[in-house]
Amino acid sequence: MHKSNLDEAADLSLKVVSLSRPSSFSGKIEDVHGKHKEFSAHVRIIAASHFLPFSIAVSEETPTEPFQWKVSRRSGHTAMYAGIRSLSDNPNADCTHVGWIGNYKDLKGEEHSCDDLSHESRTNICKELEKHDAVPVFVDEATANGHYEGYSKQILWPLLHYMSWSDSNPMKSAWWDCYNKVSKTFATAISAIYKDGDIVWIHDYHLLLLPEMFRALNPKATIGLFLHSPFPSSELFRSLPNRKEILYGMLGSTSIGFQTYSYARHFLSSCTRVLGLESTPTGIDNMGNMVAIGVFPIGIDARQVQERRSLPAVQTKMKNLREMFANKRIIIGRDRLDEVAGIKQKLEAFEKFLEMYPEWQNNVVLIQVTQPGQTRQPKLEAKISELVTSINSNYGSLEFMPVMYHHTFLNTDEYMALLNIADLCLITVIRDGMNTGSLEYVVCQQDKHSPLLLSEFTGTAGSVSGAIQINPWDYQGVAQAIDTALRMGPDEKKVRYKEMYRHVMNHDAQYWASTVIQDLRATVLAGQSSSVTPKLDMALFVKGFKASKRRMIMLDYDGTLTPITNIPAQALPPAEMLEALRALCADPRNFVSVISGRDRAFLELHLGDIEGLALSGEHGSFIRYPGGEWINLLAEMDMSWKDEVLSIFEFYTERTVGATIEAKETSITWHFRNADPEYGEFQAKECMNHLENSVVSKRPVEILVGKKCLEVRPISVNKGEIVKRLMGAKPKQWDFVVCAGDDKTDEDMFRSLRTIKRSVAGNTSGEEGLNAVSTSVGMGTNWSSMSMRLPPYYFTITVGPPDKRSAAAWHVSSSHDVVEALMLLAASNNNAE
């Protein structure tokens, strides 16, 4: 990697900071936008969302086809659209937005599907949207309905908001087909404009299959996915029939962003529990590809809100509202009519407030604006109507109603006026991705500094520290919070408001978008600069084998010759592997050995009949040379420690469902592969601490951490010692050496061969050769330098991803690749004969 790229990676890494980090904001919106630093190098971004931020209508100039078009901004998702739009304002970025255009409006204002439009009319849509850096995706009406109104809204949306999908309408298989089809359509549309080096940024739950589908078409693409909605716990998510397809679709990304850490943690847990993948707090190992996980709370377009709240039309409406509610304290709420919006809880809590604090009766009004939700919910509508009627009947009069309930879309000027004059904003949602309405309220309260009561179940709750957090189900607690907020003094209001205002201004939509993109670029550059173990050069591998006269082949078993299985006894040798081993062992020029952690009984049962094969069991405790008997290399060692270790393992096995103990002659292993993934890891750490304090500190043993297992063995035993024994006192005799393994125990073999390689090179090439090899046998790519391509050939091969930290010179992706390589050697051996 060039130094300039490394410098850029380091520079980007420094720029990517936590979105919640405080900064010295001066209070002016101009200062906020000044903080959005330019990208250090030019970047092309393709943003994909279900809808484009535009709607189209037929132009008056063309009453008949082919139509010309008028473009206007689409309402909704203002924070997301503002963030994407701001990327084009960066002088070092070009941003194109790809999305479904939806229906069009005719000259009468009636909506129609684009299905029947002529090719020329569609072309005109593309040309008009090109002026706005947008590319439309055309989806037929039936597919669009099945995708959006069906699978997205009826299945995914409830599930992601912690409502079981079975509680909504029954799933229809056609919906899933439509969801797949739309993602494929998007993948094709984006590929048509994609160029190498572009960043593809995909948004929200409507397109969760798109990352994997797009990567299939463009394997080296940089793909970011941002989920604006919540992500539920794994226990709920696993109820989704298509759970694996959704997760693998998301894991096609380079990086996945979430609104809060809890959502990211739930996603990681789902990948671990449902897919069985390894994870860290910052990423998922998706079969060798590390997918980065980040937390990026979205902000709002603070400048646009500031400008809108100051318009004369808004000021006029503010004046009218103040006159209408003179001498009244105003509480406002604006929500969609959904179960998760918490409108019912809000009304219950408000009624409890009026009951508990009668002095506020006739002095407080709740203005609740409700707009249509994701789906029609008649029962919820009836319940809300019943609560409103009850409150107004019990606490109102002919002159005054304590609840002003409006079930309609509110125009922006009226909404801004309400935000400006409110004495309190009450948000009681029971699950929300972020809730940007609370941030808009903060911007509009620069004059009054009114408090914000915010549900702890919103994504915003973790960021806006000056808000008073509430539990929507605790009606009495919410009632007390309302009273506290309305009685709050000006000094406390100002202090709380200052904290909220600083956060909203410093973390607006523009900051969110630029930070996500910079983090994505840093992830890619960091991956490019990290040590990568090259893929096994099969041509060189076979060439070295053919050119050699004395060959040493040493192989691990589990994970190398056979795939890892949940039940170790099921890891049986495949027929093609046995055939390859027999062919290689039949050649007197080859010395072939299997060096495994398995006990000698297992090895004897499954591999013992292969003539000419050497076997080593229990990580080097036993060895059997071809035609010989088993030799116990630890025959003289005290094994009394095994009873202590066994009692500790039994203690944790009783308390860990799915854990098992494997007792061998010279070691004991505790397996937790079939236990709950997270609890199993926790118990393994506890067990290891127990062993270190009780046994390891007093006995000549060590703990080996393997794949979903802990093994305790004598400290003098490891596979590296067996490698030295097999190579013999004169390792120079071997001109072709192969060693393959997949886990930490096999690193001992690689390190031993590294040392032997140095000594052989030093004896054959003098000081110059020793220096050359010394620089070529470090970690990762250095092993495969020119010296490793010359005889004697040493092929150390790790099974796993290329970025896996290993002392091996080469890597292959799976045990299947190892067997294929052996079959190639066997075939070339037969051809040579």
Side-chain angles (χ1 to χ4, degrees):
M1 189 175 183
H2 295 299
K3 183 180 185 299
S4 59
N5 289 339
L6 287 171
D7 291 342
E8 185 179 8
D11 180 52
L12 286 176
S13 295
L14 290 173
K15 289 179 181 177
V16 178
V17 296
S18 168
L19 289 182
S20 60
R21 178 179 296 175
S23 60
S24 55
F25 173 63
S26 64
K28 297 179 181 178
I29 288 188
E30 290 74 15
D31 293 342
V32 177
H33 288 261
K35 292 178 183 292
H36 301 152
K37 296 182 179 180
E38 299 175 4
F39 298 138
S40 55
H42 190 270
V43 59
R44 269 176 39 107
I45 303 163
I46 302 173
S49 63
H50 174 242
F51 276 113
L52 281 175
F54 306 103
S55 56
I56 56 171
V58 175
S59 172
E60 292 85 350
E61 301 172 0
T62 53
T64 58
E65 287 212 64
F67 296 129
Q68 296 295 327
W69 303 95
K70 296 186 300 183
V71 175
S72 58
R73 292 221 170 264
R74 185 186 300 273
S75 61
H77 304 291
T78 54
M80 178 183 74
Y81 292 150
I84 295 173
R85 189 168 59 248
S86 71
L87 295 172
S88 296
D89 298 334
N90 194 305
N92 280 331
D94 296 324
C95 184
T96 301
H97 200 146
V98 178
W100 183 45
I101 193 59
N103 295 330
Y104 73 90
K105 289 184 178 180
D106 61 18
L107 294 177
K108 298 179 181 178
E110 297 176 354
E111 290 193 358
H112 301 275
S113 168
C114 293
D115 291 1
D116 298 327
L117 287 176
S118 66
H119 175 74
E120 192 171 352
S121 290
R122 290 193 178 199
T123 301
N124 290 341
I125 292 176
C126 296
K127 289 179 179 178
E128 192 64 34
L129 288 173
E130 187 177 3
K131 301 174 185 177
H132 301 272
D133 298 319
V135 174
V137 175
F138 293 100
V139 181
D140 66 87
E141 188 173 14
T143 302
N145 284 336
H147 167 265
Y148 184 63
E149 300 293 342
Y151 197 81
S152 294
K153 290 176 68 172
Q154 304 291 340
I155 305 301
L156 278 183
W157 189 89
L159 180 72
L160 294 174
H161 288 80
Y162 291 69
M163 296 186 292
S164 176
W165 65 272
S166 60
D167 291 339
S168 58
N169 293 336
M171 182 187 295
K172 299 177 182 178
S173 60
W175 290 350
W176 173 247
D177 295 337
C178 292
Y179 192 80
N180 270 276
K181 185 176 179 181
V182 167
S183 292
K184 290 177 182 177
T185 304
F186 268 75
T188 302
I190 298 172
S191 294
I193 61 172
Y194 173 80
K195 297 178 182 178
D196 288 344
D198 289 357
I199 290 176
V200 178
W201 192 19
I202 300 166
H203 291 265
D204 223 6
Y205 62 91
H206 313 91
L207 301 172
L208 295 182
L209 299 180
L210 179 55
E212 183 183 36
M213 291 181 177
F214 185 76
R215 188 165 299 286
L217 300 175
N218 305 275
K220 296 183 179 179
T222 299
I223 304 172
L225 170 66
F226 190 85
L227 190 64
H228 294 261
S229 71
F231 196 93
S233 68
S234 60
E235 290 304 312
L236 185 58
F237 185 80
R238 68 196 307 173
S239 67
L240 182 69
N242 311 112
R243 57 192 184 176
K244 290 187 176 180
E245 293 89 338
I246 293 293
L247 291 175
Y248 278 127
M250 297 173 71
L251 290 173
S253 309
T254 307
S255 176
I256 305 175
F258 294 89
Q259 299 277 20
T260 71
Y261 173 70
S262 64
Y263 303 156
R265 179 168 51 81
H266 290 159
F267 174 75
L268 291 170
S269 178
S270 291
C271 290
T272 301
R273 295 170 184 272
V274 176
L275 302 181
L277 301 178
E278 299 288 337
S279 68
T280 70
T282 58
I284 293 282
D285 182 356
N286 180 26
M287 295 177 289
N289 296 313
M290 283 304 298
V291 181
I293 304 297
V295 177
F296 308 96
I298 197 171
I300 60 171
D301 188 346
R303 183 194 293 271
Q304 192 272 338
V305 175
Q306 175 77 310
E307 292 173 352
R308 192 64 186 254
R309 70 178 287 268
S310 303
L311 292 177
V314 174
Q315 299 299 317
T316 300
K317 292 186 181 295
M318 287 170 57
K319 181 175 179 294
N320 294 337
L321 287 170
R322 288 194 186 102
E323 292 175 356
M324 184 183 303
F325 300 105
N327 302 319
K328 306 292 182 187
R329 306 294 290 275
I330 301 174
I331 303 175
I332 64 162
R334 185 198 189 199
D335 307 276
R336 287 185 178 273
L337 188 59
D338 292 311
E339 288 283 355
V340 297
I343 302 172
K344 184 174 73 72
Q345 286 80 0
K346 183 184 300 185
L347 293 170
E348 295 272 17
F350 184 67
E351 185 172 31
K352 175 64 71 173
F353 162 73
L354 294 176
E355 175 191 329
M356 291 174 59
Y357 303 98
E359 64 270 25
W360 287 111
Q361 296 175 18
N362 298 316
N363 292 310
V364 175
V365 59
L366 170 63
I367 303 177
Q368 175 63 41
V369 180
T370 305
Q371 58 193 61
Q374 293 286 329
T375 58
R376 181 76 188 278
Q377 300 189 47
K379 291 183 179 179
L380 179 61
E381 291 179 29
K383 180 61 178 177
I384 290 173
S385 178
E386 179 184 328
L387 283 169
V388 171
T389 301
S390 173
I391 295 170
N392 285 337
S393 299
N394 294 330
Y395 300 101
S397 63
L398 291 175
E399 294 81 16
F400 174 71
M401 295 293 181
V403 178
M404 300 287 290
Y405 181 73
H406 299 273
H407 182 42
T408 182
F409 283 103
L410 199 65
N411 71 54
T412 306
D413 288 345
E414 291 176 330
Y415 176 54
M416 288 292 155
L418 279 174
L419 293 181
N420 274 291
I421 68 164
D423 295 289
L424 178 65
C425 180
L426 180 57
I427 297 174
T428 56
V429 296
I430 57 178
R431 189 62 63 182
D432 200 357
M434 201 62 195
N435 196 277
T436 54
S438 61
L439 308 181
E440 293 169 339
Y441 171 76
V442 171
V443 175
C444 290
Q445 281 292 319
Q446 295 175 50
D447 300 322
K448 296 190 66 173
H449 303 162
S450 295
L452 169 65
L453 262 59
L454 184 62
S455 167
E456 62 187 66
F457 300 103
T458 63
T460 320
S463 305
V464 186
S465 58
I468 300 174
Q469 293 193 19
I470 54 175
N471 178 354
W473 281 279
D474 180 7
Y475 301 151
Q476 184 171 329
V478 175
Q480 291 171 345
I482 294 173
D483 178 69
T484 299
L486 292 176
R487 297 181 189 276
M488 189 179 295
D491 291 340
E492 184 180 354
K493 283 184 181 180
K494 189 172 182 179
V495 170
R496 285 180 173 274
Y497 180 76
K498 185 178 180 180
E499 288 294 319
M500 295 190 291
Y501 186 71
R502 181 184 292 112
H503 172 81
V504 174
M505 294 297 108
N506 277 325
H507 303 88
D508 60 0
Q510 292 80 357
Y511 178 83
W512 164 76
S514 63
T515 305
V516 171
I517 296 299
Q518 296 218 52
D519 180 81
L520 183 55
R521 296 182 71 209
T523 298
V524 173
L525 290 173
Q528 292 173 353
S529 64
S530 63
S531 177
V532 174
T533 305
K535 188 174 182 180
L536 178 62
D537 186 334
M538 285 296 186
L540 178 64
F541 189 58
V542 174
K543 174 187 173 184
F545 180 81
K546 287 182 176 180
S548 58
K549 297 180 180 179
R550 289 282 289 160
R551 305 150 178 163
M552 172 64 72
I553 302 173
M554 296 172 283
L555 307 165
D556 172 46
Y557 184 78
D558 289 288
T560 304
L561 292 177
T562 62
I564 295 290
T565 60
N566 287 337
I567 301 174
Q570 293 180 348
L572 303 179
E576 58 270 22
M577 182 265 280
L578 295 174
E579 182 182 346
L581 287 181
R582 287 193 175 94
L584 291 170
C585 290
D587 188 340
R589 292 171 295 178
N590 303 334
F591 186 94
V592 185
S593 61
V594 173
I595 306 173
S596 173
R598 294 281 189 155
D599 60 33
R600 53 183 175 173
F602 179 93
L603 295 175
E604 192 70 51
L605 175 64
H606 296 290
L607 302 174
D609 64 335
I610 300 178
E611 187 175 348
L613 178 66
L615 298 173
S616 177
E618 300 194 24
H619 299 296
S621 299
F622 295 91
I623 189 168
R624 194 205 72 173
Y625 291 100
E629 298 294 326
W630 283 97
I631 302 171
N632 185 352
L633 301 178
L634 301 177
E636 304 301 322
M637 182 168 286
D638 178 16
M639 292 291 174
S640 61
W641 54 267
K642 290 179 65 178
D643 292 335
E644 297 178 59
V645 173
L646 182 61
S647 65
I648 293 173
F649 278 169
E650 287 175 344
F651 175 86
Y652 284 94
T653 301
E654 291 171 0
R655 290 157 178 79
T656 311
V657 177
T660 58
I661 300 172
E662 182 183 4
K664 306 173 188 177
E665 292 182 65
T666 60
S667 63
I668 304 180
T669 305
W670 188 70
H671 296 277
F672 58 94
R673 182 171 297 278
N674 293 323
D676 177 90
E678 294 179 5
Y679 187 63
E681 292 285 352
F682 171 78
Q683 287 290 76
K685 292 176 183 176
E686 293 293 307
C687 182
M688 191 161 62
N689 290 335
H690 194 162
L691 289 168
E692 287 173 347
N693 293 328
S694 303
V695 181
V696 176
S697 60
K698 306 170 186 175
R699 300 286 197 139
V701 295
E702 64 180 350
I703 304 171
L704 183 69
V705 181
K707 291 183 176 179
K708 302 292 185 182
C709 68
L710 295 178
E711 180 166 325
V712 180
R713 66 183 186 185
I715 203 165
S716 59
V717 174
N718 64 67
K719 291 183 178 181
E721 294 301 316
I722 288 295
V723 166
K724 293 176 185 177
R725 179 182 286 263
L726 293 175
M727 292 291 286
K730 296 180 179 180
K732 185 181 175 181
Q733 64 178 305
W734 308 105
D735 52 359
F736 181 85
V737 178
V738 176
C739 183
D742 71 308
D743 66 11
K744 294 178 182 178
T745 63
D746 303 311
E747 295 297 320
D748 292 330
M749 297 196 291
F750 302 150
R751 282 189 286 268
S752 290
L753 285 175
R754 180 172 62 187
T755 302
I756 294 171
K757 173 70 174 179
R758 285 195 182 115
S759 67
V760 170
N763 291 333
T764 57
S765 306
E767 188 68 26
E768 182 179 348
L770 178 61
N771 290 338
V773 176
S774 294
T775 61
S776 72
V777 291
M779 303 293 282
T781 56
N782 288 335
W783 261 90
S784 60
S785 63
M786 185 57 67
S787 64
M788 299 306 295
R789 297 175 179 269
L790 298 174
Y793 297 99
Y794 276 54
F795 286 89
T796 50
I797 306 165
T798 185
V799 181
D803 57 353
K804 173 185 177 182
R805 186 166 178 80
S806 174
W810 308 92
H811 95 277
V812 293
S813 298
S814 67
S815 60
H816 177 72
D817 297 330
V818 175
V819 174
E820 277 196 347
L822 295 177
M823 292 172 68
L824 278 175
L825 296 188
S828 64
N829 200 53
N830 293 333
N831 293 336
E833 295 174 355

